[in-house]
Amino acid sequence: MLLSIPDVFSKTEVARCRRIMDAAEWVDGNVTSGAQSAHAKNNMQLPEGSPAARQIGEAILDALGRHPLFLSAALPHKIFPPLFNRYEGGQSFGTHVDNSIRHLRGTEFRIRSDLSMTVFFSEPDEYEGGELSIEDTYGVQRVKLPAGHAVLYPSTSLHHVTPVTRGARVCSFFWMQSMVRDDGTRRLLFQLDQAIQKLVVDRGQKDEAVVELTGVYHNLLRRWAEI
Ligand code: NI
């Protein structure tokens, strides 16, 4: 499932993050690539674990931890510390699949990447090109969202970033292990949760059917979650 997650950050928060990023030193993006993606990748990145990456990364994880739509769709178990990239002057990232296992250098922290996420820090009119193109079951989806918005998509999908021919595209990207490994199963839980939320609005939290369906949701999650 491919899903837009709106308003991770307000425009004010985006501007604050951009000031920190624009003042930081950027390095060749190939430092985080696997062998296959190193061929395809041509961009700049904030060094992993640098003060700027840590500070904004923590703000992203904080914001996502308070975002009901994200939590309902991703059911996150472990999230890799966010990374940051910048594309300009024709830079692009060719078609690839993200590495299945991510290991945080110098630590025991390891995740299986079930979901990939991109948070946009440039407005769409600040740059030409730079679309995140994702091969979904419904065909190719081209994603270019307003600054402060994000897209969540299965790490199993082939994807690429088209060349940025004007301006600069600044984004954060990272991976997560979901409590529910299978994309189709996770989607069913998401649909059930969203339907329950609509019923809550119409009938209130204490409605008998709402209470029963909430029980079904949690009992399915209990059955399918790995933590
Ligand atoms: Ni990728």
Side-chain angles (χ1 to χ4, degrees), residues 33-54:
S33 306
Q36 185 219 353
S37 28
H39 286 294
K41 190 178 195 181
N42 174 23
N43 63 13
M44 301 296 281
Q45 208 165 291
L46 283 182
E48 276 178 60
S50 66
R54 267 175 203 245

Side-chain angles (χ1 to χ4, degrees), residues 4-7 9 11 14 119-125 127 144-150:
S4 287
I5 310 286
D7 304 314
F9 286 129
K11 299 298 177 195
V14 167
V119 185
F120 291 80
F121 282 97
S122 303
E123 294 297 351
D125 61 4
Y127 60 100
K144 188 171 180 174
L145 296 176
H149 294 215

Side-chain angles (χ1 to χ4, degrees), residues 87-160:
Y87 296 79
E88 59 191 332
Q91 288 179 320
S92 63
F93 197 159
T95 304
H96 66 281
V97 163
D98 293 340
N99 285 358
S100 49
I101 308 293
R102 288 276 164 181
H103 185 196
L104 188 60
R105 237 172 269 167
T107 72
E108 295 292 302
F109 187 75
R110 262 199 318 184
I111 65 159
R112 179 190 66 233
S113 58
D114 296 322
L115 288 162
S116 301
M117 193 164 203
T118 295
V119 185
F120 291 80
F121 282 97
S122 303
E123 294 297 351
D125 61 4
E126 282 178 52
Y127 60 100
E128 209 75 60
E131 287 162 327
L132 174 61
S133 180
I134 302 165
E135 289 183 26
D136 193 37
T137 39
Y138 297 109
V140 176
Q141 310 287 319
R142 290 175 161 257
V143 184
K144 188 171 180 174
L145 296 176
H149 294 215
V151 61
L152 187 67
Y153 58 100
S155 301
T156 49
S157 65
L158 281 169
H159 55 274
H160 67 271

